[in-house]
Amino acid sequence: QQPVQSPQAVILREGEDAVINCSSSKALYSVHWYRQKHGEAPIFLMILLKGGEQKGHDKISASFNEKKQQSSLYLTASQLSYSGTYFCGTEGSSNTGKLIFGQGTTLQVKP
Amino acid sequence: NAGVTQTPKFQVLKTGQSMTLQCAQDMNHEYMSWYRQDPGMGLRLIHYSVGAGITDQGEVPNGYNVSRSTTEDFPLRLLSAAPSQTSVYFCASSYGASFSYGYTFGSGTRLTVV
């Protein structure tokens, strides 16, 4: 079942922060986050496995609440290069290889 | 190391024609998947594979066939093209989530069915 992302779109000024949420109605084994720029392929950002961990690199981090079947992507001090569409992908309760993506969140960072 | 290679990059088909989209990876990834992306839409899973000889259906498998005879290759076959199959097709591969590994995507095939 497709995860639900919110918000659908975000407009920021450089330096502002953003949070993108991803929720599922089913138990999850893993949550993936990807960014896609217009006309390009999606690029992998990070993966979180069940266990309630938080990950991050540079100014982008993510959390995974296994009990609530939710994940959030945190973008701090946004840069122009952060613009694009962000997708979360979820994999069911075991490592099945069946990765289902949400509908995407469009992020636009303005100078 | 070429990553995930998709061919062709562009294709125009007539309704009813069949064709095969090629996907090859040189990273020794066990997991491979095919997605389609329609304008303004997300990525929808067509078929996926967790190893050679193993394939399974995704969210939108109708009208498509796959096979996985080797670890490297995962071709997607359109049986009888329809205008509704006009889309961008992405192939992706991974070692699998248990290794904390995400998917590497190919550059895509832009297919138009007229």
Side-chain angles (χ1 to χ4, degrees):
Chain A
Q1 193 164 357
Q2 187 181 38
V4 177
Q5 289 184 231
S6 62
Q8 286 191 318
V10 182
I11 300 176
L12 298 173
R13 294 286 181 189
E14 268 188 299
E16 292 182 338
D17 301 340
V19 180
I20 301 172
N21 300 301
C22 176
S23 64
S24 173
S25 59
K26 299 174 69 174
L28 298 176
Y29 174 80
S30 68
V31 179
H32 300 223
W33 287 97
Y34 294 78
R35 177 170 60 211
Q36 185 180 32
K37 293 188 179 286
H38 184 70
E40 299 180 5
I43 299 295
F44 171 68
L45 294 175
M46 64 188 73
I47 183 173
L48 302 102
L49 302 182
K50 66 178 182 180
E53 63 179 295
Q54 182 154 355
K55 276 192 176 182
H57 55 84
D58 199 8
K59 296 172 183 174
I60 300 176
S61 62
S63 64
F64 177 25
N65 187 321
E66 180 186 349
K67 289 184 179 179
K68 292 186 177 180
Q69 295 141 209
Q70 294 175 346
S71 178
S72 295
L73 184 71
Y74 306 94
L75 302 148
T76 58
S78 58
Q79 306 166 16
L80 294 177
S81 62
Y82 286 4
S83 293
T85 302
Y86 289 78
F87 292 99
C88 73
T90 58
E91 192 176 11
S93 55
S94 62
N95 186 18
T96 62
K98 186 176 183 179
L99 186 65
I100 305 295
F101 284 94
Q103 79 278 19
T105 296
T106 301
L107 178 73
Q108 185 179 3
V109 181
K110 294 186 173 181
Chain B
N1 192 338
V4 179
T5 303
Q6 290 186 236
T7 55
K9 293 192 182 303
F10 301 93
Q11 183 71 49
V12 178
L13 284 181
K14 293 183 178 180
T15 298
Q17 287 184 318
S18 63
M19 79 160 294
T20 300
L21 307 185
Q22 301 292 343
C23 176
Q25 53 91 9
D26 61 357
M27 297 172 283
N28 203 31
H29 286 169
E30 290 292 331
Y31 290 61
M32 296 187 75
S33 299
W34 275 103
Y35 291 90
R36 62 175 288 175
Q37 185 173 37
D38 301 313
M41 301 284 287
L43 298 148
R44 291 186 291 172
L45 181 64
I46 305 171
H47 286 285
Y48 64 104
S49 170
V50 297
I54 306 169
T55 64
D56 208 343
Q57 295 182 349
E59 302 171 275
V60 288
N62 291 342
Y64 306 95
N65 272 354
V66 291
S67 59
R68 184 99 181 268
S69 56
T70 67
T71 299
E72 294 77 21
D73 300 299
F74 191 40
L76 178 72
R77 183 165 178 82
L78 278 71
L79 307 173
S80 177
S84 60
Q85 293 180 305
T86 293
S87 189
V88 178
Y89 291 84
F90 288 104
C91 178
S93 71
S94 174
Y95 287 119
S98 60
F99 294 101
S100 291
Y101 226 86
Y103 280 78
T104 300
F105 281 77
S107 58
T109 294
R110 282 150 182 80
L111 176 69
T112 302
V113 182
V114 298

